Amino acid sequence: MYDLDLLEHTDTVNELLARYGVKFGIYKNNEFKEQLFPFDAIPRKIEKKEFDYLEKGLKQRVAALNLFLKDIYSKKEIVKDGIVPKDFIFASSGYMAECEGVTPIKGIYSHISGIDLVQGRDKQWYVLEDNLRVPSGASYPMIARELCRRSSPATFETNKLEDNRNYPKLLRQAMDYVNVGGHTVILTPGRYNAAYFEHSYLSEKTGAHLVTGAELKVEDDKLYYVSYDGKLERVGALYRRISDEYLDPMNFNPQSVIGIPHIFDVFRKGNVALINAPGNGIGDDKGIYYFVPKMIRYYLNEEPVLNNAPTYLPFYEEDMKYVLEHFDNLVLKDVAEAGGYGVVFGNSMTKEEKEKFITLLKKEPRRFIAQEVIDFMDIDILEGNETLPRKADLRAFVLMAEEPVVWKSGLTRFSRNPDSFIVNSSQGGGFKDTWVLSQ
Amino acid sequence: MKQLHFDYYMQITYAGCVSECHYTLKCIPADNIRQRLLGFSMEILPKNKWMEGVDSFGNAMVYGSIEKEQRDFSFHIQGDVEIDIREYETVKDDGEIFVYQYPYGLSTPGEELERFYQSLLGELNAKPDDYEKGVFLMHILYGNFIYEKEVTDVNTTAEEAWKLGKGVCQDYAHILIALCRRAGIPARYVSGMLIGEGYSHAWVEIYCDNHWFALDPTNNLIVEDSHIKIGVGRDAFDCQINRGIVMGGGSQTQNIRVCVEEKTEEIKT
């Protein structure tokens, strides 16, 4: 069924991935464990025409989200015009009042966006989530492709697909575009972070220094890298792989030991670009997700190209009624959670759990969204000599410099459990390369 | 119009040696239509080059890092303000008040405070407007909360203080903020100084009829010209007068001395 030389080399590729330290760290019960991120060699293929469609929709979506973030932290017109209710912004944990009136360099909030999509059985694509804070995952298809090429060059001679080795170049462009003068560096919390492999890999591929908070300091309202000989070298752009909360103990969580004191003050004065900009959490809030199609119409005066999964907001009386009537067919998501946590399927609850949940839902309707369960198209994975169908999603990466650019690849994650729809790597799933066919 | 002279001194002494310290001071009195900052001088020790800025709530900030070894840190600010009680601060844009309408941080209420709020609904709804509601909530809080030092700390939430039934100005302010926001009245925390008080003070501003009105729940009064306003925020943390992190140092003792006096003679001459 799969006439692909590459499949003969699955084990080799996985061994190489292990040797290169392509791991995923997870914290469970307060313990740090590193696990391999299992790679499945059957690529997910996306036809050129189909990808063109996705590309158009993704650019549109990211453009609208950037305009939304800029609006929220300045004029708030979308709220005043009654498109998005105030409650969904200013009571959300993703909104950061500290960012009010602070405009990032060139007005860009989300330089790197990871948009999660799924394809239904009807071949229709749906956006499931927008990740605008510190979306991770690009490094996995990058290195997998590199190792696949090495293990099976023949596969890439016979198949016509888009080269994905341009990610570092696109990332570099996005970072250089907002650099205010000085070095571009990547800030990592260190090797115990879930995505440390990615931090180091992106640093290696882009040529940007990988640094920790202790190597950076603020002086005269500028950010500096302290070199080995003690010299201060100006930093003009910082690709930070730590969340807003830990970025600056003087402005946010005072307990943070991985941040840089006063870095937010430097950002506020426009003396450093932070990638992605602080405050983005409001753009990838699950409650705000519902409003993205409305944002596209509002800011761009265009019809959305990509669909959301049909979503209901119990906040609206009408939607609450629908949710209660169709509870068993829906998946409910806590807007404050991420990484596959806080997601429950109506039909998997016991009667007691359901009652308890509904009480909570009625008490805090803003906290949840409900979605129709999309019957994803299965894609094959290889298990021994057999192929088995599994649920999978796609994280597409959109990089923003002067214009948004969609990387012609992406991270395809699949659930290893045949009954599960949750594909997050933190929940033990695997990944595939994503081939965008060039003809 | 009244002119007030202020003098604010704070010193932190460490048991051991501090190798590195970072500080942000939001200690400069506000300068607005109601309260004009006529002038001030400031000193920070150990001497260092500080930076200046304005945060998202409009508070002036002075901040910096000291990398030499030190045993104590202090700052001293003194100056004059002029208060015109006929004027009230307002907003240029309605968007500015959105952040003061929702539960946040230390001003977040819980079940007990909600129960208290519910018990007030009858009387509250009989009030003609938000201003009267705010004043009513202040009176009620004053009558149901005891002023007592050292039972709460800087991290105590409105709910925790309410359950305890006692606390200091910060706690009064957080509870009143929680109640006002619950009643749909935008409310914010104010840090400042008060004539006759040797320490920093805190109170509340509520937004009604396009104006910010200041209420002092600790003293159960409507703020006029005895208070000098420094900073504002959603809760005390947003406008902490002094925030710092240090490496080393061990235990620390903080000493604050505040003096606010009316300047009568000068106006006459």
Side-chain angles (χ1 to χ4, degrees):
Chain A
M1 183 182 169
Y2 288 95
D3 178 22
L4 209 56
D5 176 63
L6 175 64
L7 304 192
E8 309 292 323
H9 302 276
T10 302
D11 292 344
T12 319
V13 176
N14 268 305
E15 278 160 26
L16 284 169
L17 285 168
R19 190 187 303 167
Y20 280 81
V22 184
K23 288 177 186 167
F24 206 94
I26 52 173
Y27 284 93
K28 219 169 191 175
N29 306 325
N30 274 328
E31 230 181 280
F32 178 76
K33 278 188 191 149
E34 255 180 343
Q35 59 187 41
L36 294 171
F37 195 13
F39 173 71
D40 183 79
I42 303 174
R44 167 191 230 142
K45 291 182 186 171
I46 302 177
E47 301 288 333
K48 183 181 186 315
K49 220 174 83 190
E50 197 161 17
F51 197 82
D52 287 347
Y53 156 79
L54 290 178
E55 190 176 23
K56 201 174 151 203
L58 289 164
K59 283 183 181 174
Q60 181 192 51
R61 199 163 173 108
V62 169
L65 282 162
N66 266 293
L67 291 170
F68 168 73
L69 287 161
K70 197 174 165 187
D71 185 23
I72 287 307
Y73 290 114
S74 57
K75 294 179 179 160
K76 306 171 181 47
E77 279 165 346
I78 199 163
V79 178
K80 292 177 193 158
D81 287 340
I83 313 290
V84 181
K86 255 193 323 207
D87 290 20
F88 277 84
I89 312 275
F90 303 98
S92 161
S93 58
Y95 165 78
M96 295 181 79
E98 293 88 345
C99 299
E100 277 295 337
V102 185
T103 310
I105 308 296
K106 298 193 172 151
I108 300 176
Y109 278 85
S110 191
H111 311 76
I112 300 130
S113 313
I115 312 293
D116 292 348
L117 303 121
V118 291
Q119 193 171 21
R121 276 192 202 281
D122 54 357
K123 297 266 171 137
Q124 177 77 52
W125 287 90
Y126 297 96
V127 175
L128 277 194
E129 246 174 57
D130 304 289
N131 297 283
L132 310 183
R133 282 177 262 200
V134 271
S136 62
S139 61
Y140 302 108
M142 279 165 78
I143 192 163
R145 181 80 60 88
E146 192 182 318
L147 300 178
C148 288
R149 275 179 186 281
R150 215 184 289 168
S151 311
S152 168
T155 301
F156 298 90
E157 278 160 22
T158 46
N159 288 280
K160 299 277 177 252
L161 64 144
E162 293 283 350
D163 196 337
N164 77 354
R165 282 174 290 190
N166 64 341
Y167 188 84
K169 196 177 123 202
L170 297 176
L171 178 58
R172 197 70 224 214
Q173 278 168 356
M175 300 193 294
D176 288 349
Y177 184 64
V178 290
N179 187 311
V180 296
H183 291 286
T184 293
V185 300
I186 300 177
L187 173 67
T188 176
R191 76 173 266 5
Y192 290 110
N193 183 269
Y196 184 71
F197 159 73
E198 173 153 309
H199 307 163
S200 57
Y201 188 70
L202 291 177
S203 159
E204 178 190 321
K205 292 290 169 187
T206 57
H209 262 314
L210 184 67
V211 303
T212 59
E215 293 168 275
L216 298 172
K217 70 177 284 189
V218 169
E219 216 174 275
D220 291 328
D221 276 320
K222 292 184 186 75
L223 181 68
Y224 293 96
Y225 168 71
V226 186
S227 72
Y228 184 70
D229 57 3
K231 280 200 194 104
L232 299 186
E233 299 195 27
R234 176 90 190 267
V235 173
L238 180 79
Y239 180 17
R240 46 83 177 224
R241 297 293 305 242
I242 70 179
S243 58
D244 291 352
E245 202 192 340
Y246 296 104
L247 193 57
D248 179 352
M250 296 307 294
N251 279 283
F252 308 115
N253 188 342
Q255 313 289 343
S256 172
V257 292
I258 53 174
I260 302 116
H262 301 304
I263 190 175
F264 188 73
D265 299 316
V266 177
F267 172 72
R268 199 194 320 259
K269 293 205 169 161
N271 289 342
V272 71
L274 294 179
I275 299 163
N276 289 342
N280 277 12
I282 190 60
D284 66 15
D285 182 286
K286 291 187 177 70
I288 288 301
Y289 159 90
Y290 172 90
F291 296 100
V292 177
K294 292 177 195 285
M295 267 175 220
I296 292 170
R297 293 188 194 100
Y298 182 78
Y299 293 116
L300 305 174
N301 204 13
E302 292 172 10
E303 272 307 299
V305 175
L306 291 169
N307 296 314
N308 270 6
T311 304
Y312 307 92
L313 289 187
F315 172 81
Y316 293 120
E317 218 169 285
E318 207 178 301
D319 284 20
M320 176 70 98
K321 200 169 152 238
Y322 182 91
V323 171
L324 296 178
E325 280 168 9
H326 301 82
F327 197 79
D328 287 352
N329 305 329
L330 300 170
V331 50
L332 293 116
K333 298 182 177 175
D334 187 328
V335 299
E337 299 274 0
Y341 296 97
V343 177
V344 282
F345 290 82
N347 61 6
S348 71
M349 285 187 223
T350 63
K351 207 175 158 213
E352 275 169 18
E353 284 171 339
K354 204 184 290 184
E355 275 169 17
K356 218 170 133 191
F357 190 91
I358 288 175
T359 316
L360 185 64
L361 182 67
K362 285 181 174 162
K363 204 178 147 212
E364 296 181 65
R366 205 210 77 84
R367 206 174 127 187
F368 300 93
I369 61 168
Q371 289 175 327
E372 302 284 356
V373 179
I374 294 177
D375 196 4
F376 305 6
M377 203 172 74
D378 286 319
I379 57 177
D380 287 344
I381 66 163
L382 206 57
E383 193 122 338
N385 290 324
E386 270 184 294
T387 60
L388 300 170
R390 286 292 181 271
K391 304 296 175 204
D393 76 347
L394 169 68
R395 175 167 289 182
F397 291 89
V398 185
L399 292 116
M400 183 74 127
E402 198 161 0
E403 293 288 329
V405 180
V406 182
W407 182 38
K408 290 195 167 64
S409 185
L411 174 66
T412 293
R413 296 176 299 182
F414 59 88
S415 162
R416 297 176 89 197
N417 173 351
D419 304 318
S420 174
F421 284 82
I422 298 178
V423 298
N424 298 62
S425 9
S426 40
Q427 308 273 331
F431 80 106
K432 285 171 172 290
D433 190 4
T434 308
W435 286 11
V436 175
L437 303 183
S438 54
Q439 45 181 257
Chain B
M1 292 220 253
K2 191 159 150 188
Q3 287 195 2
L4 299 174
H5 178 75
F6 64 88
D7 189 309
Y8 191 119
Y9 176 75
M10 190 224 63
Q11 182 186 38
I12 299 174
T13 308
Y14 305 99
C17 197
V18 167
S19 57
E20 191 180 324
C21 121
H22 306 275
Y23 64 87
T24 294
L25 307 176
K26 297 183 181 176
C27 65
I28 303 171
D31 185 17
N32 57 51
I33 188 167
R34 185 176 168 90
Q35 173 180 295
R36 299 242 62 105
L37 179 60
L38 301 175
F40 71 95
S41 65
M42 188 161 77
E43 185 179 45
I44 300 173
L45 291 174
K47 280 206 185 313
N48 69 99
K49 202 156 83 180
W50 70 63
M51 295 166 272
E52 292 170 16
V54 179
D55 74 9
S56 292
F57 307 99
N59 304 315
M61 301 187 289
V62 171
Y63 54 95
S65 304
I66 303 172
E67 283 179 23
K68 58 181 172 225
E69 293 192 343
Q70 61 189 97
R71 289 240 173 213
D72 51 13
F73 172 85
S74 69
F75 73 89
H76 187 190
I77 180 169
Q78 50 183 327
D80 301 291
V81 299
E82 182 176 76
I83 295 168
D84 184 349
I85 56 166
R86 295 166 303 178
E87 299 284 356
Y88 290 93
E89 278 181 79
T90 181
V91 297
K92 282 187 225 81
D93 183 323
D94 281 349
E96 289 174 41
I97 60 165
F98 294 164
V99 302
Y100 300 117
Q101 294 183 299
Y102 296 92
Y104 174 80
L106 299 174
S107 56
T108 306
E111 278 174 25
E112 286 295 319
L113 209 44
E114 174 66 20
R115 196 166 310 148
F116 180 56
Y117 174 77
Q118 292 296 336
S119 75
L120 303 174
L121 276 180
E123 280 177 278
L124 196 62
N125 289 336
K127 303 293 169 200
D129 55 35
D130 284 354
Y131 178 77
E132 292 297 332
K133 283 181 188 177
V135 173
F136 164 74
L137 289 170
M138 173 175 73
H139 292 329
I140 281 284
L141 169 60
Y142 182 78
N144 285 275
F145 199 73
I146 297 163
Y147 187 89
E148 192 174 322
K149 281 182 180 161
E150 283 158 20
V151 289
T152 55
D153 63 30
V154 290
N155 296 313
T156 305
T157 65
E159 177 74 3
E160 287 162 357
W162 176 249
K163 277 195 203 155
L164 210 58
K166 47 196 177 184
V168 294
C169 56
Q170 169 168 324
D171 306 304
Y172 278 92
H174 282 147
I175 298 170
L176 183 57
I177 289 169
L179 292 171
C180 287
R181 289 186 189 160
R182 183 66 183 83
I185 309 163
R188 65 186 182 186
Y189 188 95
V190 184
S191 64
M193 300 172 265
L194 172 63
I195 286 186
E197 174 127 349
Y199 209 75
S200 53
H201 192 48
W203 58 95
V204 174
E205 285 182 344
I206 59 171
Y207 189 76
C208 4
D209 200 18
N210 301 318
H211 294 94
W212 284 107
F213 294 98
L215 305 174
D216 180 349
T218 313
N219 296 305
N220 199 25
L221 55 83
I222 291 155
V223 171
E224 289 193 320
D225 49 13
S226 310
H227 292 62
I228 297 179
K229 170 174 168 174
I230 298 178
V232 296
R234 293 162 295 176
D235 66 359
F237 193 69
D238 282 341
C239 49
Q240 247 181 327
I241 291 177
N242 161 47
R243 183 184 304 180
I245 49 175
V246 294
M247 307 268 205
S251 66
Q252 47 177 273
T253 41
Q254 185 174 283
N255 176 20
I256 295 180
R257 205 174 60 218
V258 182
C259 181
V260 177
E261 289 170 326
E262 192 175 347
K263 287 181 67 176
T264 41
E265 318 81 23
E266 274 180 46
I267 298 170
K268 282 171 193 156
T269 52

